Amino acid sequence: DAGVIQSPRHEVTEMGQEVTLRCKPISGHNSLFWYRQTMMRGLELLIYFNNNVPIDDSGMPEDRFSAKMPNASFSTLKIQPSEPRDSAVYFCASSFRVAGEENEQFFGPGTRLTVL
Amino acid sequence: GDSVTQMEGPVTLSEEAFLTINCTYTATGYPSLFWYVQYPGEGLQLLLKATKADDKGSNKGFEATYRKETTSFHLEKGSVQVSDSAVYFCALWFSGGYNKLIFGAGTRLAVHP
């Protein structure tokens, strides 16, 4: 298995532009997570999906952020409009979740976003 | 609320030294506990876990014991290598709560030859 795939690996954009980050989870996994990592705030959970349904989006910073999971093999995180404070590494992770158990989350390599 | 507290880094050691990274937690229930490791330029990966009190998780020479009485899950390794240089994250999860991992701030370990 190729693991969790994220694209692009690096993104540099200007303030005000729309940014779309993409994630392909491991085949067979039913849970998908989007995290953001910065030096100041550490690792933050933005949103997670179970069986393609958003379960908890309380970590999404504001309305400029949106996430979708149209099918079991693809998810996007969109920022519109982007701001310099959105600069961070964004990780996607997936797992196979069984009720009552927390199984290992497999992380992708991350997308390093720089907003100028 | 539920939280995880890790010792602040960076932790700097010489090769073959003994490693301890402290982790304590606050939770209203009985969580499962995890250590994840992040090597430079990569995503996190699971290092070890323990699901109930007195369980010991171990992997790659690292160990951690779930201590309910002290609400701790300290990470230890008897002899570190340069290749262990990374950021280590303690995390908790329990099904009765938010159904998501709660991570500590991470502790950076630097091992010198």
Side-chain angles (χ1 to χ4, degrees), chain B residues 18-39:
Chain B
F18 184 86
L19 168 71
T20 299
I21 299 178
N22 290 339
C23 170
T24 57
Y25 67 89
T26 302
T28 52
Y30 299 98
S32 295
L33 300 172
F34 303 81
W35 278 101
Y36 276 77
V37 59
Q38 183 180 28
Y39 298 104

Side-chain angles (χ1 to χ4, degrees), chain A residues 40-95:
Chain A
M40 291 295 294
R41 302 172 69 95
L43 190 66
E44 304 172 277
L45 177 66
L46 301 178
I47 185 171
Y48 80 89
F49 295 83
N50 193 48
N51 294 322
N52 312 338
V53 176
I55 302 301
D56 183 352
D57 64 355
S58 60
M60 295 286 262
E62 47 199 274
D63 291 345
R64 297 185 298 106
F65 286 69
S66 62
K68 294 182 179 179
M69 192 164 186
N71 56 62
S73 60
F74 184 65
S75 177
T76 59
L77 178 68
K78 186 176 294 186
I79 309 173
Q80 166 64 17
S82 58
E83 298 182 2
R85 60 193 168 118
D86 302 330
S87 297
V89 181
Y90 290 81
F91 289 103
C92 176
S94 71
S95 71

